[in-house]
Amino acid sequence: MLSQGFVSAASIAASVLFILSLGGLSNQEKAKRAVWYGIVGMAVAVLFTALGPGIGGYWWMLPMMIVGAAIGVYVAKKVDMTEMPQLVAALHSFVGLAAVFVGWNADLERRRVLATQLAESSTEGFSAFAALVATKNPAELMFLQIEVVLGVFIGAVTFTGSVIAFGKLAGKVDGKPKQLPGGHLLNAGAAALSLLLAILYLSGAGFWTLLLMSLLAFFIGYHLIMGIGGADMPVVVSMLNSYSGWAAAAIGFTLSNDLLIVTGALVGSSGAILSYIMCKAMNRNFVNVILGGFGGSQGPAAEIEGEQVAIDAGGVASALNDADSVIIVPGYGMAVAQAQNAVSELTRKLRSAGKNVRFGIHPVAGRLPGHMNVLLAEARVPYDIVLEMDEINDDFATTDVVIVIGSNDIVNPAAQEDPNSPIAGMPVLKVWEAKQVFVCKRGQGTGYSGIENPLFFKENTRMFYGDARKSIDDLLPLVE
């Protein structure tokens, strides 16, 4: 067993590694090294926490750690990049549920300490946490109860909210917004009742108040996320990421674990910043999103005129061979089809022919920020031709050919032209301004969010139907 000083030093080292990891993830070239910083930091955190003072029960802790690690390795190898958003949501649910369990246990231990001290004035046989509780004065015990309330409430909301987000992203739950009769009033009533139960709990009421508050928080998490549509799910995932961090930080205060406090604060603050960035990228009001779209657009969407005109590989290749400038806009469909390597080869051929080829990346392309950048980096697409929306949006008007691969909402002109559209006001890539637009798409469906796209009906747009990977593979031999 290590001394507390040694554990504190390890905690500082792990915290620095986590900060370096977060900082490095903002750059594609440093991202791989940044991930290793995070891996090493977490290994240090787990190891030195397990070996710290007052920790026991290794006979069951070690097998559980091995089982958990084995499950993690299995999931990491099995999950595709396209499934990463729902995996992130699932992992958030684990953090939330852990916060609930730790909070419950902390309160039960607090009650046991108080009962034992009153009866025997002894702390013999107490756990490390219980012994810590026994040293606290009444004011400190009140702060402990506040920490428990916050950790349990945020954790419970995070758990059920993340489970529903996972279901929607994985297609196991309908992506359309749904609420029970009463809608937002149910959420407000549950929140008000939770506050009342929290006050009763802090006033000395029994464990039942904490349990009932947890059940209400579980409902709030479920009902909030059920009321959010598929178009807003990227913001929801980052929001839940933030919630899980704050839940962890609250439990860190409960356990007097400095590393958990720092790590939770890092996750919570970075998730909140990311949520703000994504709301800005989608022109969404953050409060409206988390309230299930409260105050969203009203009225019927504008009718779309015209028809979708199909084109074959030969027609697309002919246009590419005649073009001087090409912009490729990748989306979730490219990820699903695992077409990034074929797209990379197409890019190489076009650039070898002297054409100006670039990529336009929307901040929420692929349902999570950075998803497309990672796929393109894996396929060895040069970093300098992968541009963000703000960097490339003004260039579409002077571009000969745009190839949209598996995108819908991020290239939807209804966001700017139809005030009644569910994505009204959302900044999008203005691909329709190019001379020719080719949309690589499986079929005529509306995509994940269920929103129709007028782009597909425009005169300068042709639909290149089929699996994205096969379509690009068919295109490659025809490109000179």
Side-chain angles (χ1 to χ4, degrees):
M1 187 176 295
L2 302 174
S3 67
Q4 184 58 49
F6 201 82
V7 173
S8 298
S11 298
I12 294 172
S15 299
V16 171
L17 287 169
F18 291 148
I19 293 171
L20 291 173
S21 180
L22 281 175
L25 291 174
S26 63
N27 184 290
Q28 293 178 4
E29 298 180 67
K30 298 178 181 178
K32 192 171 184 179
R33 182 172 57 191
V35 170
W36 276 107
Y37 285 146
I39 292 171
V40 174
M42 185 56 67
V44 170
V46 171
L47 177 63
F48 286 92
T49 298
L51 296 177
I55 304 298
Y58 294 106
W59 61 272
W60 60 264
M61 184 190 299
L62 186 59
M64 293 302 294
M65 291 172 64
I66 293 173
V67 170
I71 293 173
V73 171
Y74 172 76
V75 170
K77 289 183 176 181
K78 186 176 182 293
V79 173
D80 294 326
M81 273 298 299
T82 53
E83 299 172 321
M84 199 56 63
Q86 48 262 50
L87 175 62
V88 171
L91 294 176
H92 292 164
S93 72
F94 296 157
V95 178
L97 190 59
V100 173
F101 285 156
V102 170
W104 286 352
N105 184 70
D107 186 66
L108 292 173
E109 285 285 81
R110 178 185 67 85
R111 294 176 186 279
R112 186 168 75 92
V113 168
L114 294 177
T116 304
Q117 284 184 313
L118 289 173
E120 305 173 4
S121 299
S122 170
T123 59
E124 185 178 351
F126 281 3
S127 66
F129 173 74
L132 177 65
V133 170
T135 65
K136 294 181 180 292
N137 59 42
E140 291 173 329
L141 286 176
M142 175 59 70
F143 275 110
L144 173 64
Q145 288 181 272
I146 294 173
E147 293 157 7
V148 167
V149 166
L150 291 175
V152 169
F153 183 82
I154 299 172
V157 171
T158 302
F159 171 67
T160 49
S162 297
V163 170
I164 298 302
F166 166 82
K168 289 197 172 191
L169 289 166
K172 301 179 184 299
V173 176
D174 191 349
K176 296 179 181 179
K178 292 183 178 180
Q179 289 184 326
L180 296 173
H184 301 293
L185 290 177
L186 279 178
N187 296 332
L193 190 53
S194 296
L195 178 61
L196 176 61
L197 288 167
I199 294 172
L200 289 175
Y201 167 74
L202 295 175
S203 301
F207 179 74
W208 63 271
T209 54
L210 189 63
L211 188 60
L212 284 181
M213 188 198 72
S214 304
L215 294 176
L216 287 169
F218 283 138
F219 169 78
I220 292 172
Y222 157 79
H223 201 230
L224 274 178
I225 308 306
M226 280 298 294
I228 299 175
D232 287 325
M233 288 312 295
V235 178
V236 171
V237 172
S238 62
M239 176 188 72
L240 291 169
N241 176 55
S242 179
Y243 285 3
S244 69
W246 298 125
I251 294 304
F253 280 107
T254 301
L255 300 176
S256 296
N257 187 312
D258 295 338
L259 181 58
L260 195 54
I261 294 171
V262 172
T263 305
L266 286 172
V267 174
S269 56
S270 61
I273 293 170
L274 180 59
S275 298
Y276 169 77
I277 292 172
M278 293 179 70
C279 281
K280 184 178 180 182
M282 299 174 70
N283 195 35
R284 284 290 193 265
N285 181 289
F286 181 72
V287 175
N288 287 354
V289 171
I290 64 175
L291 290 180
F294 182 78
S297 61
Q298 301 292 326
E303 293 186 6
I304 300 176
E305 298 180 355
E307 60 179 350
Q308 298 183 20
V309 181
I311 194 171
D312 60 13
V316 178
S318 177
L320 287 173
N321 290 332
D322 293 338
D324 292 321
S325 57
V326 178
I327 295 178
I328 300 173
V329 178
Y332 189 68
M334 185 190 80
V336 171
Q338 291 290 288
Q340 62 269 23
N341 290 309
V343 171
S344 178
E345 178 60 20
L346 176 64
T347 302
R348 188 194 63 78
K349 290 194 70 172
L350 291 172
R351 297 185 78 198
S352 296
K355 303 180 189 300
N356 180 22
V357 183
R358 291 172 298 166
F359 286 77
I361 307 295
H362 192 279
V364 296
R367 301 188 190 172
L368 279 181
H371 198 172
M372 293 297 100
N373 303 67
V374 171
L375 289 178
L376 295 174
E378 286 182 341
R380 300 187 182 281
V381 172
Y383 298 132
D384 59 337
I385 66 171
V386 179
L387 305 178
E388 299 297 325
M389 177 177 63
D390 293 340
E391 299 175 293
I392 203 168
N393 231 2
D394 292 336
D395 296 345
F396 285 109
T398 57
T399 299
D400 295 322
V401 172
V402 170
I403 302 179
V404 178
I405 306 176
S407 293
N408 187 19
D409 300 338
I410 64 172
V411 293
N412 194 334
Q416 297 187 356
E417 300 170 356
D418 182 6
N420 290 325
S421 171
I423 58 171
M426 171 179 164
V428 292
L429 291 157
K430 302 176 184 178
V431 299
W432 59 89
E433 294 183 351
K435 293 179 181 178
Q436 291 180 287
V437 181
F438 300 106
V439 179
C440 188
K441 197 169 180 288
R442 281 184 178 272
Q444 295 186 1
T446 55
Y448 173 72
S449 66
I451 302 172
E452 194 65 80
N453 192 340
L455 169 70
F456 304 157
F457 300 84
K458 288 186 176 292
E459 292 183 2
N460 63 335
T461 299
R462 294 295 180 267
M463 306 302 294
F464 189 23
Y465 291 123
D467 176 81
R469 182 173 179 178
K470 184 180 183 303
S471 296
I472 302 300
D473 284 338
D474 292 342
L475 190 60
L476 284 172
L478 306 176
V479 174
E480 299 174 356

